Amino acid sequence: GLWGGWGPPTLVFHLGSCSLPARCSGSAAKSLLFRFLPFLRWLPRYPIKDWLLGDIVSGFSVGIMHLPQGLAYALLAGLPPVTGLYSSFYPVFLYFFFGTSRHNSVGPFAVISVMIGSLTESLMPSENFLESVNGTNATVNEELRDASRVELVATITVLTGVFQVALGLLQFGFVVTYLSDPLVRGYTTASSVHVLVSQLKNVFGVSQSEQSGPLSLFVTIIDLCKKLPDTNVGTLVTAIIAIVAILIVKELNHKFAAKLPMPIPIELITIIVSTGISYGVNLNDKFGISVVGNIPSGLKPPVAPNISYFGQVVGNAFAIAVVGYAICISLGKIFALKHGYKVDSNQELIALGLSNFLGGFFQCFAISCSMSRSLVQESTGGNSQVAGVISSLVILVTILKIGELFRDLPKAILAAIIIANLKGMFKQFSDLCTLWKSNRVDLLVWIVTFVATLLLNLDIGLAVSVAFGLLTVIFRTQLPHYSVLGRISDTDVYRDVAEYEMAQEVPGVKIFRSSSTIYFANVELYAEALKKKSGINVDRLIQKKKKALKKLQKQQKKLEKEKAKRKKPWSTDAGSPSLPQNTEDGPGVSVIELSAGDSSAPSEPTLHSLGLPQPSFHTVILDFSPVSFVDTVSIKILKNIFRDFHEIEVDVFIASCPGEGDLQSHEPWLGIASSMAHS
């Protein structure tokens, strides 16, 4: 409950980022409705005259791209081509209602497709569907295999949607922050290598058994090399011609983007031309070129997922959910920043999750956002998700009427489309040079992610990459940069004296700074670095002081004993008192006795009085501007720092120690240092 003024506590329910009082009101219900259905907020104010034409042109352009990519990425996922068309229709249409990005083009994506493909190949390999023919030859029952794989993938997609919706409702949109940009780029680059290798069998026209698990990529490459003598020349020539044509036209599209009203739909043109040639020449029968086969027309009724698969795919579904969202939100934020609107990260999770969850009932596979389609949607005048609705209608027409015409489409053409679209991802290898110059730790994250994903496959590789990324954070906080700050003359600027020649230390003052916050894992290193940077061996000086004090105490005790010996009792012999005799008890020892009125408390011995070296400074200032929090271990070590420096007669101050919610300048210690310099 929350106390409101002096009134009684009010029960509040939290759903997403909304706080709903127990007494619902019309405004609260309206706010909640707009929160989960963002189109209700912007659609009534949609500027038809300004935006509609651009959205229609953009929608048709993206829809034309969806068609070949949907067919190709279904092949990549190990599914019938029609599932790619379904995945280009249902999720895209649903995203219109729930999404907050105006330029993201959701739908099939290569990395997600290959993650799904690795699952279908490991859990539903073709070898499980072999049937004997005439009692001797064994062939794969493709119809049964495809049906089983569709059921499996639909279940994965539903579970992926459940994870995304749950994370969105629980305000866990921040989980994507654990996937740093170098990690995502290294992962997608390695995934592109997996995609390329998976399509080589369709380029060379050879049959390969599916591999999964660690090192499966290299096993596939070795197996492919062994089967190169069996290459189908017709398939290879078809694929090479298609790849070259697509790459050339894509380069022309990029070069003349400002002059072209819309990019040349080379992928669609390639599909139409190759299908016509295949049908006219009968490439399948004459040259043995594998074709797509039957593509059923019409939509299918929804089917409930097979929950018996949940236990087998739960980890993979979570990985797909996180990777798909990371790619989607990163693109969404880029376009939002460029065009001056806001993308709700948690609502994007919910939108993507609902698109996947509901799409899974209609035989879709998990989707994300495509960079190429999103760029086309933006560059051709797209202003809102109305463009997404238009593109989904283009796919709907294809599913209902046109899809069956592509039955003679060579699979080599789809492989060529996939490989040609990997060009942008392979350009990410240039990150190695950039990161080498800018940040070596990020470079290490990129390389480890890339190598782990290649060696351990996509799911395990992602887990290892995230774990390593988190370890780098720990290492960075455990091994920060420690510095002693000095003042640049005639300014109030303080910099590391080891890096800036013009920075000079304030006489008698050491200003110490760590580049990281301090907590239990690094506070002892902080204390050691402080003592090392101070230029003196603090611990050894303290030990010497203790030894000197111990020696002094022994001397004092010895003097007290000697004093006791010098005192003689009054003699009663001859009835007169006798004075103590003057005796020599040692060289140069004299005892001075003070009366009670003249006694005073002895002063504490100093380093100078003990004959020990004194530090060259009298004050240490701990700059706490990078410190965001401290724990109990840190407080204990800080107390030890204060105690140790006090032992060697050095004062310690903490500067720039912000309180909770403090938004003031993080350099108030400059004034302290200046005052120390003039004292």
Side-chain angles (χ1 to χ4, degrees), residues 455-669:
L455 295 177
L456 305 176
N457 219 339
L458 297 171
D459 47 359
I460 303 176
L462 178 62
V464 171
S465 304
V466 172
F468 182 78
L470 294 177
L471 282 176
T472 61
V473 176
I474 297 174
F475 291 148
R476 287 178 180 181
T477 57
Q478 274 195 294
L479 303 173
H481 176 68
Y482 298 109
S483 56
V484 173
L485 304 184
R487 181 179 180 179
I488 298 177
S489 59
D490 300 327
T491 69
D492 287 333
V493 178
Y494 288 73
R495 292 292 181 266
D496 186 355
V497 295
E499 297 181 0
Y500 293 83
E501 294 181 358
M502 297 180 64
Q504 300 295 325
E505 292 186 52
V506 178
V509 178
K510 290 282 184 181
I511 306 174
F512 182 74
R513 185 180 188 273
S514 169
S515 62
S516 171
T517 190
I518 58 174
Y519 65 113
F520 68 91
N522 67 1
V523 67
E524 292 187 1
L525 298 175
Y526 179 89
E528 292 176 5
L530 170 61
K531 293 176 180 179
K532 183 177 181 181
K533 290 283 185 179
S534 67
I536 59 173
N537 193 327
V538 178
D539 295 331
R540 186 176 180 183
L541 187 56
I542 293 174
Q543 289 178 356
K544 286 184 176 180
K545 182 178 179 180
K546 289 180 178 179
K547 289 181 179 179
L549 289 173
K550 189 175 182 180
K551 184 177 181 181
L552 181 62
Q553 290 174 356
K554 288 182 178 180
Q555 290 177 350
Q556 289 177 345
K557 288 181 179 180
K558 184 177 180 181
L559 290 175
E560 289 176 358
K561 289 181 180 179
E562 291 175 352
K563 182 177 68 174
K565 289 180 180 179
R566 288 178 181 277
K567 288 184 177 181
K568 300 295 184 177
W570 290 100
S571 175
T572 57
D573 190 8
S576 63
S578 64
L579 295 174
Q581 298 179 357
N582 186 15
T583 60
E584 299 241 351
D585 288 326
V589 177
S590 62
V591 178
I592 301 175
E593 295 190 36
L594 299 176
S595 63
D598 295 332
S599 65
S600 61
S603 61
E604 183 179 351
T606 63
L607 294 175
H608 178 71
S609 65
L610 293 173
L612 297 176
Q614 294 177 274
S616 59
F617 54 93
H618 54 74
T619 302
V620 169
I621 297 177
L622 305 180
D623 175 17
F624 266 34
S625 57
V627 177
S628 57
F629 69 94
V630 291
D631 53 18
T632 55
V633 177
S634 302
I635 294 173
K636 180 180 178 181
I637 301 298
L638 286 173
K639 287 182 178 179
N640 293 342
I641 290 174
F642 275 73
R643 180 200 64 201
D644 291 346
F645 278 93
H646 177 71
E647 288 287 331
I648 61 172
E649 302 168 11
V650 174
D651 295 324
V652 181
F653 297 93
I654 294 178
S656 189
C657 185
E660 185 176 356
D662 184 11
L663 299 178
Q664 298 177 357
S665 171
H666 281 254
E667 294 188 298
W669 54 265

Side-chain angles (χ1 to χ4, degrees), residues 33-76:
L33 191 63
F34 283 174
R35 165 71 173 80
F36 289 102
L37 294 174
F39 84 100
L40 294 177
R41 188 182 299 275
W42 61 263
L43 189 59
R45 300 192 297 268
Y46 182 82
I48 297 177
K49 292 183 179 180
D50 297 331
W51 285 10
L52 184 59
L53 181 60
D55 281 340
I56 291 175
V57 174
S58 176
F60 273 108
S61 302
V62 175
I64 289 171
M65 292 183 67
H66 263 299
L67 175 57
Q69 290 186 6
L71 295 172
Y73 293 153
L75 180 68
L76 190 58

Side-chain angles (χ1 to χ4, degrees), residues 275 278-279 291-296 402-410:
T275 301
S278 176
Y279 177 77
V291 296
V292 168
N294 183 48
I295 299 180
I402 306 175
E404 59 185 5
L405 300 178
F406 295 109
R407 67 177 64 200
D408 291 310
L409 172 65

Side-chain angles (χ1 to χ4, degrees), residues 112-154:
I112 302 299
S113 298
V114 76
M115 292 177 75
I116 294 171
S118 66
L119 269 177
T120 58
E121 291 173 358
S122 61
L123 298 180
M124 296 289 180
S126 298
E127 288 79 2
N128 291 0
F129 302 93
L130 292 175
E131 293 183 351
S132 60
V133 179
N134 299 326
T136 54
N137 297 330
T139 60
V140 176
N141 187 334
E142 294 185 357
E143 184 177 352
L144 180 60
R145 180 198 64 186
D146 291 346
S148 300
R149 287 184 173 183
V150 167
E151 183 183 35
L152 172 67
V153 171

Side-chain angles (χ1 to χ4, degrees), residues 84-317:
L85 298 180
Y86 295 154
S87 301
S88 299
F89 168 62
Y90 289 107
V92 177
F93 186 75
L94 290 168
Y95 185 80
F96 166 81
F97 299 99
F98 305 106
T100 60
S101 173
R102 302 205 312 247
H103 296 89
N104 273 358
S105 175
V106 299
F109 182 61
V111 174
I112 302 299
S113 298
V114 76
M115 292 177 75
I116 294 171
S118 66
L119 269 177
T120 58
E121 291 173 358
S122 61
L123 298 180
M124 296 289 180
S126 298
E127 288 79 2
N128 291 0
F129 302 93
L130 292 175
E131 293 183 351
S132 60
V133 179
N134 299 326
T136 54
N137 297 330
T139 60
V140 176
N141 187 334
E142 294 185 357
E143 184 177 352
L144 180 60
R145 180 198 64 186
D146 291 346
S148 300
R149 287 184 173 183
V150 167
E151 183 183 35
L152 172 67
V153 171
T155 303
I156 296 171
T157 304
V158 169
L159 192 56
T160 299
V162 169
F163 279 128
Q164 289 173 332
V165 171
L167 291 174
L169 291 175
L170 294 174
Q171 301 292 285
F172 270 70
F174 67 88
V175 294
V176 73
T177 59
Y178 293 103
L179 301 180
S180 65
D181 187 59
L183 189 150
V184 172
R185 292 175 72 85
Y187 183 77
T188 53
T189 305
S191 300
S192 301
V193 177
H194 279 277
V195 172
L196 175 63
V197 172
S198 70
Q199 293 307 301
L200 291 179
K201 62 182 180 182
N202 293 316
V203 171
F204 290 97
V206 297
S207 60
Q208 279 188 287
S209 58
E210 290 109 356
Q211 306 291 335
S212 61
L215 301 178
S216 61
L217 179 73
F218 302 96
V219 174
T220 301
I221 294 174
I222 294 172
D223 183 57
L224 178 68
C225 292
K226 293 179 180 179
K227 294 185 177 181
L228 285 180
D230 300 329
T231 298
N232 186 306
V233 179
T235 300
L236 180 61
V237 171
T238 300
I240 292 175
I241 293 174
I243 292 173
V244 172
I246 293 172
L247 289 176
I248 290 175
V249 176
K250 279 183 174 291
E251 191 64 29
L252 292 175
N253 282 337
H254 177 71
K255 187 175 183 180
F256 299 102
K259 298 180 180 180
L260 294 173
M262 63 175 289
I264 300 172
I266 182 58
E267 296 166 334
L268 181 62
I269 293 173
T270 303
I271 284 181
I272 294 174
V273 172
S274 59
T275 301
I277 294 175
S278 176
Y279 177 77
V281 182
N282 199 1
L283 295 178
N284 187 18
D285 293 337
K286 289 186 177 181
F287 300 99
I289 297 177
S290 179
V291 296
V292 168
N294 183 48
I295 299 180
S297 299
L299 300 174
K300 293 186 177 181
V303 178
N306 188 344
I307 60 175
S308 63
Y309 290 131
F310 279 6
Q312 296 175 272
V313 301
V314 60
N316 302 88

